[in-house]
């Protein structure tokens, strides 16, 4: 199972002072040395953490970039220039603290289909951040998505066997209709193991808990311990 390390919160710390440090490029380098298989960033419309120059600097270093973005013309245009390894479409609300749920594809099929087509025109594979909901996953497939990233936030808040069963069932369903399956949100060294045991999941994207651990043990070690847990994947 691959690990994409989300370094948005390195930039959050930097933007708290509008300073030069901590440097997201150095963070990405250290994450890769700790075993990260890719670097994930979310360029938000309000630029609250990651800035455009960060995305370009990470691209210039040759990182396998997972570019989280809202389905807007501005972001499609940036993705089309940066050419990340993959784009993940996420919902975005200005007042939210973090992404609160999966993308509601069903209510905006045309917009999402059009966004995916425009990204595919640039040969960028597209993932959709999705709640563990069969209809939304089917809608992602119908719009042409290549992957779904299952939202693990509910599981992270209510870590029960039932939530694992739901994620397992939705991973099996998504895989059965030809979607690659990733997952993420709210995962920590305490709760990740049950998710690692879902065989269909190819990659986890983890940010906040790794950056939080990094304050005490460094980002390379924080990534490395998470990567060790992912190696428990069946
Ligand atoms: N995946 C997606 C689509 C996200 O929006 C986020 C949060 O930015 C993550 C994964 C990582 O979540 P966390 O920071 O809670 O690990």
């Amino acid at each position: 199972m691959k690990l994409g390390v989300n370094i948005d919160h390195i930039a959050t710390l930097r933007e708290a002072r509008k300073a030069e440090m901590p440097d997201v490029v150095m963070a990405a380098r250290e994450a890769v040395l700790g075993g990260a298989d890719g670097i994930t960033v979310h360029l938000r419309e309000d630029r609250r953490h990651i800035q455009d120059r960060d995305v370009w600097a990470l691209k210039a270093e040759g990182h396998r970039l997972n570019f989280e973005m809202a389905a807007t013309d501005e972001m499609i245009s940036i993705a089309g220039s940066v050419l990340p390894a993959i784009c993940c479409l996420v919902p975005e609300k200005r007042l939210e603290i973090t992404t609160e749920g999966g993308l509601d594809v069903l209510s905006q099929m045309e917009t999402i289909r059009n966004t995916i087509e425009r990204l595919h025109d640039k040969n960028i594979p597209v993932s959709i951040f999705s709640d563990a909901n069969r209809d939304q996953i089917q809608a992602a497939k119908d719009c042409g998505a290549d992957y779904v990233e299952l939202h693990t936030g509910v599981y992270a808040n209510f870590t029960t066997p039932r939530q694992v069963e739901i994620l397992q069932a939705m991973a099996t369903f998504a895989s059965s209709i030809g979607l690659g399956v990733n997952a993420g949100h709210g995962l920590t060294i305490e709760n990740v193991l049950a998710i690692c045991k879902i065989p269909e999941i190819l990659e986890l994207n983890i940010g906040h808990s790794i950056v939080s651990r990094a304050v005490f043990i460094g980002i390379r070690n924080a990534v490395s311990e998470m990567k060790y847990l992912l190696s428990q994947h069946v």
Side-chain angles (χ1 to χ4, degrees):
M1 189 179 272
K2 288 186 175 159
L3 175 61
V5 175
N6 182 316
I7 57 170
D8 290 350
H9 295 305
I10 301 290
T12 300
L13 186 54
R14 182 193 62 196
E15 294 304 307
R17 281 287 179 94
K18 299 278 175 214
E20 293 302 315
M21 61 185 181
D23 179 1
V24 293
V25 172
M26 197 177 289
R29 264 181 225 153
E30 284 291 311
V32 168
L33 288 170
D37 299 288
I39 299 297
T40 297
V41 289
H42 182 179
L43 184 66
R44 295 185 74 104
E45 190 188 13
D46 62 10
R47 308 300 199 269
R48 68 173 70 158
H49 38 54
I50 292 292
Q51 307 295 309
D52 300 52
R53 68 178 188 280
D54 297 326
V55 183
W56 283 107
L58 292 165
K59 170 75 182 178
E61 287 250 324
H63 290 292
R64 178 177 159 264
L65 271 190
N66 170 17
F67 185 64
E68 292 180 359
M69 56 176 264
T72 62
D73 285 338
E74 183 197 20
M75 291 301 153
I76 295 168
S77 159
I78 293 171
S81 309
V82 172
L83 300 177
I86 185 168
C87 284
C88 181
L89 302 182
V90 298
E92 211 174 282
K93 295 190 209 116
R94 275 201 175 231
L95 295 180
E96 70 191 356
I97 292 174
T98 181
T99 314
E100 283 168 353
L103 186 67
D104 183 2
V105 180
L106 280 168
S107 71
Q108 42 175 343
M109 296 284 284
E110 274 321 299
T111 306
I112 301 305
R113 186 175 286 126
N114 177 268
T115 301
I116 293 174
E117 274 172 20
R118 289 166 69 189
L119 294 169
H120 279 174
D121 283 347
K122 298 279 185 179
N123 291 319
I124 306 170
V126 182
S127 177
I128 291 195
F129 190 44
S130 179
D131 289 332
N133 174 301
R134 204 183 166 94
D135 295 339
Q136 292 288 356
I137 293 168
Q138 182 66 57
K141 175 70 181 172
D142 294 343
C143 287
D146 307 287
Y147 295 83
V148 278
E149 179 172 325
L150 293 176
H151 185 7
T152 50
V154 179
Y155 161 76
N157 289 337
F158 310 99
T159 309
T160 61
R162 177 71 193 131
Q163 290 302 326
V164 180
E165 276 171 31
I166 292 170
L167 287 164
Q168 170 67 77
M170 290 305 109
T172 304
F173 172 64
S175 178
S176 77
I177 59 172
L179 289 164
V181 185
N182 300 328
H185 209 281
L187 297 177
T188 68
I189 49 172
E190 280 84 25
N191 68 20
V192 77
L193 264 182
I195 301 302
C196 292
K197 297 202 185 315
I198 298 177
E200 291 85 355
I201 296 179
L202 305 169
E203 175 159 346
L204 296 180
N205 283 301
I206 306 181
H208 187 262
S209 72
I210 289 178
V211 173
S212 303
R213 288 280 291 161
V215 171
F216 302 106
I217 64 171
I219 192 158
R220 195 189 301 197
N221 289 329
V223 171
S224 158
E225 68 178 4
M226 186 61 84
K227 190 68 191 178
Y228 171 73
L229 293 172
L230 266 59
S231 70
Q232 312 294 307
H233 187 226
V234 286

